[in-house]
Amino acid sequence: MRFFSLLTVLSTVLPAAVSAQKLPLSTSSRWILDADGQRVKLRCINWAGHQETNMPEGLNKQSIDYIADFIAQQGFNCVRLTYSIDHALNPDVLVSDSFTAAAGAANVSATDMNGMYTQVTEKNPFVSGATVRSVFESVIAALWKRGVMTILDNHVSKASWCCNIDDGNGWWDQGFGYNDMNSRYFKTGEWLDGLQAIASWSVSQPGVIGMGLRNEVREWLLQGLNGRADWYDFMAQAATRVHAANPELLVVMGGTQSATDLTHIRLNKNIDWSPWAGKHVWEWHAYSFTVTFALAKGNCDLLKQTYGLFDGFLLEQGMDYTAPLILSEFGFGMTGGPNDGLSDDDNTYFQCLRDYVTGNDGEWALWAVQGSYYVRQGAVGAEESWGLLDADWTGLRNAKVPELLAPMFQVTQGP
């Protein structure tokens, strides 16, 4: 199959296909290095698998091989593949049963979800009789066959859309200032056990290079008012468990306020990463609607300073907190606007963010590859207007996006 791709745009920058990295990866100062000590710049795309079906999205639209081909031919060298703790602790659920259960969990028609399952088996016949874990394994294998690495990201505890302040997935239930609205599903013990289980399983999964400990932790009301002591405590416990289970993995750790605020690392203290030394990676998120950066919106110079104040400072070399920093989520609506498909607001945001990321030659992961969902927030077959793929998962939603992303693919700095 042939796709118009970023590789076409970047023919002078990237090889004709994504080349497999020499693993395992490690870190040195702000850089990620391969097994030969050469810099690896992560240029990733998110692929959601954390919602009620506990399955990577889109297998009702295309085969795994088709989607993996598309990702590789766009020039991405990694996928941030999301999952729930529900899945981590229940890997042997049959896909058929998972779709049936998803109907109840999402409060949608069982007939609709069973029909969706039938579509999945038509596009991916091996799924009939398979477990949800085996589907994740097939996705990871297909990506690595094409030289695309995988970061396993724990997105939520209860399989569902993320994120809202009342979704119960935001902050550890054992932390200070518990409130039901933000923490009722975030069972600390289950989270730690789930991460350890995924890390142990990942040993057998070629191409898995790292694990994101938790997507977008966020305080509410009294939470975090103890100097974010719970963040230090639980993140350290999680990282230690992950590293013990699979010492080859990068350990990816975000801040609070939905992965936008790591200022406590500068103002309070660094986290003690000696138990997983040489594997630590910071992450941050930035969208046009991100509240943390709202006061600087509309002034690009001020916005860049704000990005640096909250997150980018971690790239300053020679500090005790210096480590690689990946922008593991950013994105925009891809059609309908006057600026190569982007709205005025999204275009202003993206141009500024792109300048900031390319100026630091930072790692990144676009949200997202999926053009639709099995079910999202009660809507079966919901379209993802921010998806790189169109609603049918056949090709690019917006043929201009590769050109817009092209500068971010270039490697301009190194150790």
Side-chain angles (χ1 to χ4, degrees), residues 118-367:
T118 298
Q119 295 172 16
V120 171
T121 60
E122 290 170 352
K123 295 293 185 180
N124 297 271
F126 83 94
V127 169
S128 181
T131 65
V132 287
R133 179 58 55 85
S134 67
V135 175
F136 273 87
E137 292 174 348
S138 296
V139 166
I140 291 166
L143 291 169
W144 185 237
K145 182 179 179 180
R146 294 155 176 82
V148 180
M149 302 170 283
T150 298
I151 295 173
L152 297 167
D153 175 72
N154 174 228
H155 223 62
V156 290
S157 290
K158 178 180 172 59
S160 57
W161 179 250
C162 180
C163 301
N164 296 307
I165 199 63
D166 61 351
D167 65 13
N169 280 303
W171 196 259
W172 299 273
D173 72 332
Q174 293 180 15
F176 173 79
Y178 173 87
N179 66 81
D180 192 65
M181 185 169 65
N182 197 34
S183 300
R184 64 190 180 278
Y185 301 124
F186 199 162
K187 307 297 185 184
T188 308
E190 293 180 0
W191 172 69
L192 291 169
D193 290 345
L195 289 176
Q196 183 173 339
I198 290 291
S200 297
W201 162 70
S202 73
V203 173
S204 65
Q205 302 305 305
V208 174
I209 58 154
M211 282 180 58
L213 300 183
R214 185 66 170 205
N215 178 68
E216 296 197 354
V217 293
R218 48 204 178 273
E219 307 106 322
W220 184 243
L221 301 177
L222 299 178
Q223 293 169 330
L225 295 183
N226 59 347
R228 295 178 173 169
D230 300 312
W231 182 93
Y232 286 98
D233 179 13
F234 298 132
M235 285 295 194
Q237 288 188 50
T240 300
R241 284 216 204 180
V242 165
H243 185 70
N246 186 350
E248 294 192 348
L249 294 174
L250 300 176
V251 177
V252 184
M253 184 181 298
T256 66
Q257 303 296 345
S258 300
T260 63
D261 184 359
L262 279 157
T263 53
H264 52 282
I265 297 299
R266 184 183 67 246
L267 300 176
N268 187 357
K269 62 179 179 180
N270 190 24
I271 195 167
D272 178 12
W273 63 47
S274 58
W276 60 96
K279 296 293 184 178
H280 188 85
V281 176
W282 300 113
E283 68 174 324
W284 68 299
H285 294 176
Y287 290 105
S288 61
F289 54 79
T290 299
V291 174
T292 304
F293 312 132
L295 292 179
K297 187 173 180 178
N299 182 329
C300 185
D301 288 340
L302 181 59
L303 187 55
K304 289 177 183 178
Q305 293 174 25
T306 305
Y307 290 152
L309 178 69
F310 280 92
D311 301 286
F313 69 91
L314 294 156
L315 292 174
E316 182 181 354
Q317 298 191 60
M319 309 299 289
D320 66 348
Y321 48 65
T322 305
L325 173 68
I326 179 171
L327 175 63
S328 56
E329 282 190 30
F330 73 100
F332 42 82
M334 293 198 179
T335 58
N339 309 285
D340 291 329
L342 278 64
S343 69
D344 289 338
D345 187 50
D346 278 345
N347 186 59
T348 299
Y349 143 81
F350 174 64
Q351 296 288 340
C352 187
L353 181 65
R354 185 181 64 185
D355 286 350
Y356 184 77
V357 174
T358 56
N360 289 300
D361 199 20
E363 334 288 326
W364 52 268
L366 176 69
W367 186 273

